[in-house]
């Protein structure tokens, strides 16, 4: 993984999301507001955003999200996404690729590895919280891909679901010793960031 950013246990890292040209301008004005920035290419696929992020000179996650997991470009097929990952790889510290599309995007994963770029394997459940067995399958995919960080975002409907999710994550962390970035979306989003950071 590129040396500008190394995940460290016990250290909370703030990720600033760039989802528009205005977000990129704000990051340029205050580049130290976050430890690392994530460029959602599918939300702001412009050369202007690209040029601003080159000037930012901060660690960057390149994400070209698939429509099935919240991507904003339904017309982009796997080949389009692979092309964009490869195009922007030189500015990436990490790339974020969904577990569900990791096989289709194997070329982008291999290209990242060849270029010393870290790999986040991500999964998003917009309807609830995955079961313990589903999380185990995500971990299997993560290990098969050779990921550096496993990101799991969920949509709990009750606080008890959030707690059960974190319990599964803690068990997985103890069993595998991998870097996991767990988080909730929706009502429990903010508190989940605090819990995960601890």
């Amino acid at each position: 993984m590129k040396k500008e950013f190394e995940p460290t246990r016990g250290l909370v890292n703030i990720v600033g999301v760039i989802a528009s040209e205005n977000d990129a301008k704000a990051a340029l004005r205050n580049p130290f507001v976050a430890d690392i920035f994530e460029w959602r290419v599918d939300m702001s696929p412009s050369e202007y955003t690209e040029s601003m992020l080159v000037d930012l000179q901060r660690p960057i996650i390149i994400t070209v999200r698939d429509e099935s997991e919240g991507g904003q470009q339904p017309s982009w097929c796997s080949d389009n996404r692979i092309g964009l990952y490869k195009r922007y790889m030189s500015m990436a510290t990490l790339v974020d690729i969904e577990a569900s599309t990791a096989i289709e995007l194997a070329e982008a994963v291999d290209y990242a590895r060849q270029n010393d770029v870290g790999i986040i394997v991500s999964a998003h459940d917009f309807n609830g919280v995955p079961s313990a067995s589903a999380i185990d399958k995500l971990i299997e995919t993560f290990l098969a891909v050779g990921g550096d960080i496993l990101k799991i975002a969920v949509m709990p409907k009750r606080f008890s679901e959030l707690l059960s999710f974190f319990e599964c994550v803690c068990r997985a962390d103890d069993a595998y010793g991998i870097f996991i970035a767990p988080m909730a979306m929706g009502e429990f989003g903010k508190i989940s960031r605090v819990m995960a950071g601890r």
Side-chain angles (χ1 to χ4, degrees):
M1 189 184 307
K2 287 186 178 177
K3 297 300 179 190
E4 311 88 281
F5 181 85
E6 290 286 347
T8 304
R9 291 196 183 284
L11 177 67
V12 177
N13 294 293
I14 306 299
V15 180
V17 178
I18 308 292
S20 68
E21 290 181 0
N22 284 337
D23 291 343
K25 289 176 186 175
L28 269 177
R29 286 194 301 270
N30 190 1
F32 296 100
V33 71
D35 299 294
I36 187 166
F37 288 90
E38 178 185 17
W39 179 17
R40 281 288 303 271
V41 177
D42 58 288
M43 296 182 82
S44 185
S46 75
E47 291 180 7
Y48 187 49
T49 301
E50 177 187 1
S51 66
M52 283 190 285
L53 293 182
V54 169
D55 291 341
L56 187 60
Q57 296 185 347
R58 297 284 289 149
I60 293 175
I61 302 167
I62 298 295
T63 301
V64 189
R65 186 70 70 221
D66 185 69
E67 182 191 16
S68 67
E69 299 209 27
Q72 301 300 302
Q73 303 294 332
S75 64
W76 286 1
C77 65
S78 296
D79 287 344
N80 294 128
R81 295 174 63 220
I82 289 168
L84 288 164
Y85 276 116
K86 291 174 81 170
R87 174 179 171 179
Y88 300 127
M89 198 68 70
S90 63
M91 52 190 297
T93 302
L94 295 148
V95 292
D96 181 323
I97 294 176
E98 306 91 2
S100 62
T101 64
I103 292 172
E104 298 166 37
L105 300 185
E107 185 180 341
V109 171
D110 291 342
Y111 197 74
R113 201 171 287 116
Q114 292 162 16
N115 286 274
D116 199 27
V117 171
I119 299 164
I120 299 171
V121 177
S122 62
H124 307 79
D125 188 333
F126 297 103
N127 299 308
V129 176
S131 65
S133 61
I135 291 174
D136 286 341
K137 286 183 180 175
L138 286 174
I139 292 170
E140 285 176 18
T141 301
F142 170 82
L143 294 172
V145 168
D148 296 292
I149 299 169
L150 175 61
K151 172 192 170 187
I152 309 175
V154 300
M155 187 73 83
K157 297 175 178 63
R158 295 178 292 279
F159 188 64
S160 59
E161 289 183 341
L162 179 64
L163 293 178
S164 295
F165 168 63
F166 273 106
E167 187 178 356
C168 285
V169 167
C170 289
R171 277 200 303 269
D173 182 46
D174 290 341
Y176 296 96
I178 59 179
F179 287 104
I180 305 177
M183 63 197 69
M185 300 174 281
E187 179 184 353
F188 298 108
K190 289 181 181 177
I191 193 170
S192 79
R193 302 307 201 271
V194 175
M195 291 171 68
R198 301 306 270 169

